[in-house]
Amino acid sequence: MIVSDTKWTPELSLGGARSKYEALAHAIREGVLSGQLPPGSQLPPVRDLAFRVGVTPGTVARAYRVLIDDRILVAGVGRGTFVADRPAHVPPGLTEDIAQNMAPSLLADFHIEQIAPGYLVSPRMPDMGQAALMARVLAEVAAQPEQLLMRYPSRTTDAAARAAFHAVLDTQAVGPANIEDIVLSHGGQNAVVMIMQTVLHGPSPVILVDELSYNGFRSAAELCRAEVYSVPWDDEGPEVEVFAQLVRHHRVQLYCTAAEVCNPTTRATSPARRAQIAAIAQRHGVHVIDDDCYSRTQRIGPSYRALLPELGWYVTSPSKSLTPALRIGFVVAPQTCARALVRTATGHSFGVSQLVCHTYAHVMAAPELPGIIAAVTGRIAQDVASAVQVLDGYDLAWADGAPFVWLTLPAPWRAGAFVDAAKSCGIVLKSAEAFVQRDSRMVHAVRIAVNGEVGHDAFHAAMIQLRGLLDAPPARIAV
């Protein structure tokens, strides 16, 4: 049912650190989830809603854009903005009764993420035998003594996982580390949150992130009520003078980065630049999180933990090399900080369960694992090579081993318009806007992620469609 130009008006709540456009997007999302805005409802024109709510048209336009990117709203060229329709059928994996109780937007998300070959928003690991390996290992773990299934986790029960990780740890890149320096987390994002909660102090802590960076850093900072400033990059990495100025003027406590593979640009910080940034951090007592969840086939230089033994934190997980379903991550803490991080982890959840720890340790010991990882890496490389070949001639960046590429758009394309055009072809991408601060400069680029859950031919076909959009942009692009 189409509801023409709904008179529904959201109530804005500007509590916490929420900006006006975020508050408006949240209110509209709540209206959809509550059923006040049923599928097919038409949202008011931008200027109309801006007048009703008392904000600028730009605020409304940005809120609409966020919800369109999240597939909660859809924009019809020349027709207006509507609440997304519910898919005509129930996706595989959902029973009818569960689907009936799901919000339409959530059901649409499930549909797109599970079965659409053009879903290239987040990297998905291809199954090259790891699912069968984990199923076998889980059966073996379940046959262990009952104590394994009945205890809370602790530093004793996670020792096997820490030992398995330590056995493959590149201490030349990470710096000297023993098993006691390793702390487990529920994935890389959880590791970032725990580190922030361990090192940040005072009523208004300040952290730095790279100008284009993983948005999980900013989400974690929001949870910790920290203020975030971004650092621009030049050809070698973070600009040294800007970094130093921000550290001095804002009493920065923590810098979050990914020295080997910046997500989303795939760029690396040069070894010389890492040394310069580390020297400034050492001088001012700034902790540095080096996120290495995305790793290169061949490392470019040492991690910040190796450069900053008392301030550097190394974070990684098997989510981007094996599977994200095994919710385990690893922090190699500064040698003087491991105990404090253990206390934080204990306060969170007592730690990672024995089932997960033992499963990880058994998987790491499996003789077929090296072959599986090689096959996963090979499949990712095949898709990346396809993107590089098909999109040749355009400004494309990639890194060996990283399951995504970064496409800087040629004029007259804008990021939002290109994302919309790709979506009309059945291809869902992530815009540069998701990786910047809301007050940062506009970047017209998109991240194209490898979806290992669909065949290589489907990915290749998607690249050909994107090439068609790049080669023949419309004469007029909506702003």
Side-chain angles (χ1 to χ4, degrees):
M1 177 182 68
I2 301 297
V3 180
S4 178
D5 189 14
T6 177
K7 297 302 180 184
W8 176 83
T9 301
E11 294 183 5
L12 262 61
S13 172
L14 296 175
R18 184 174 288 154
S19 65
K20 289 183 179 179
Y21 90 89
E22 290 172 323
L24 180 57
H26 175 77
I28 296 172
R29 186 181 285 109
E30 288 296 307
V32 173
L33 294 175
S34 68
Q36 292 177 284
L37 290 173
S41 299
Q42 183 174 6
L43 274 293
V46 167
R47 292 188 179 278
D48 186 8
L49 186 58
F51 177 77
R52 293 189 203 176
V53 180
V55 297
T56 66
T59 296
V60 177
R62 188 160 189 181
Y64 279 4
R65 167 59 49 203
V66 168
L67 296 173
I68 289 168
D69 288 345
D70 288 345
R71 300 181 302 283
I72 292 172
L73 303 180
V74 293
V77 178
R79 296 191 305 116
T81 305
F82 301 83
V83 177
D85 288 328
R86 172 178 169 168
H89 65 282
V90 177
L94 282 183
T95 61
E96 182 66 31
D97 59 330
I98 294 176
Q100 290 288 348
N101 292 319
M102 287 183 72
S105 59
L106 298 181
L107 187 61
D109 282 353
F110 188 94
H111 173 77
I112 292 173
E113 294 186 15
Q114 293 298 318
I115 65 176
Y119 184 80
L120 307 180
V121 173
S122 301
R124 299 292 180 89
M125 292 298 99
D127 182 9
M128 309 303 289
Q130 64 266 47
L133 170 60
M134 286 191 295
R136 192 195 76 215
V137 167
L138 282 168
E140 295 171 357
V141 170
Q144 296 295 312
E146 290 182 0
Q147 290 88 337
L148 177 67
L149 307 176
M150 297 297 294
R151 292 180 182 173
Y152 281 106
S154 69
R155 286 288 276 180
T156 300
T157 62
D158 70 15
R162 288 187 285 124
F165 174 73
H166 187 265
V168 297
L169 184 64
D170 182 357
T171 53
Q172 184 173 358
V174 178
N178 58 49
I179 293 176
E180 294 307 312
D181 297 326
I182 299 168
V183 181
L184 303 193
S185 65
H186 299 284
Q189 176 66 17
N190 177 239
V192 171
V193 173
M194 291 199 309
I195 294 169
M196 287 188 184
Q197 291 179 330
T198 301
V199 305
L200 297 180
H201 58 272
S204 302
V206 176
I207 72 167
L208 299 182
V209 299
D210 298 318
E211 187 175 45
L212 283 160
S213 63
Y214 168 54
N215 52 11
F217 290 147
R218 293 186 292 278
S219 297
E222 184 176 349
L223 288 174
C224 297
R225 300 185 181 277
E227 190 171 1
V228 181
Y229 291 90
S230 58
V231 184
W233 276 39
D234 58 23
D235 291 340
E236 289 197 59
E239 293 185 13
V240 175
E241 291 303 319
V242 177
F243 182 86
Q245 184 178 37
L246 288 169
V247 167
R248 289 195 302 268
H249 289 185
H250 298 287
R251 297 183 179 180
V252 172
Q253 297 179 24
L254 178 67
Y255 170 46
C256 301
T257 189
E260 285 292 308
V261 179
C262 174
N263 177 19
T265 66
T266 75
R267 296 171 64 187
T269 303
S270 71
R273 183 59 53 84
R274 296 181 202 190
Q276 291 175 296
I277 295 296
I280 296 169
Q282 181 69 54
R283 188 158 58 248
H284 294 275
V286 177
H287 289 263
V288 179
I289 295 178
D290 197 343
D291 183 350
D292 199 37
C293 289
Y294 291 112
S295 298
R296 291 177 180 268
T297 306
Q298 297 291 329
R299 285 193 65 90
I300 287 178
S303 74
Y304 281 103
R305 185 187 181 278
L307 298 170
L308 291 163
E310 297 179 354
L311 296 168
W313 303 75
Y314 177 85
V315 173
T316 191
S317 83
S319 295
K320 308 303 187 295
S321 59
L322 193 63
T323 174
L326 194 63
R327 298 310 298 150
I328 191 169
F330 300 91
V331 180
V332 186
Q335 293 182 339
T336 58
C337 298
R339 288 186 179 180
L341 186 62
V342 169
R343 287 194 295 271
T344 301
T346 302
H348 266 238
S349 62
F350 291 105
V352 178
S353 77
Q354 289 191 73
L355 285 174
V356 172
C357 291
H358 280 260
T359 299
Y360 173 82
H362 281 66
V363 166
M364 293 300 292
E368 63 265 47
L369 182 64
I372 290 173
I373 292 178
V376 170
T377 303
R379 169 58 203 282
I380 291 171
Q382 183 186 25
D383 281 0
V384 170
S386 177
V388 172
Q389 175 193 3
V390 174
L391 303 179
D392 182 44
Y394 289 100
D395 189 352
L396 200 70
W398 69 95
D400 290 338
F404 56 87
V405 297
W406 181 246
L407 172 64
T408 300
L409 298 168
W413 280 115
R414 293 175 177 268
F418 189 80
V419 167
D420 286 344
K423 189 178 296 184
S424 70
C425 299
I427 303 169
V428 189
L429 305 172
K430 200 160 192 175
S431 167
E433 186 177 9
F435 301 99
V436 298
Q437 291 276 92
R438 65 172 179 263
D439 56 351
S440 296
R441 65 184 178 90
M442 180 65 71
V443 177
H444 295 297
V446 294
R447 191 186 72 176
I448 305 170
V450 169
N451 185 347
E453 295 180 358
V454 301
H456 172 69
D457 289 345
F459 183 85
H460 185 77
M463 295 304 100
I464 293 174
Q465 288 181 294
L466 293 181
R467 176 79 198 210
L469 293 176
L470 293 167
D471 288 346
R476 182 179 181 183
I477 299 177
V479 181

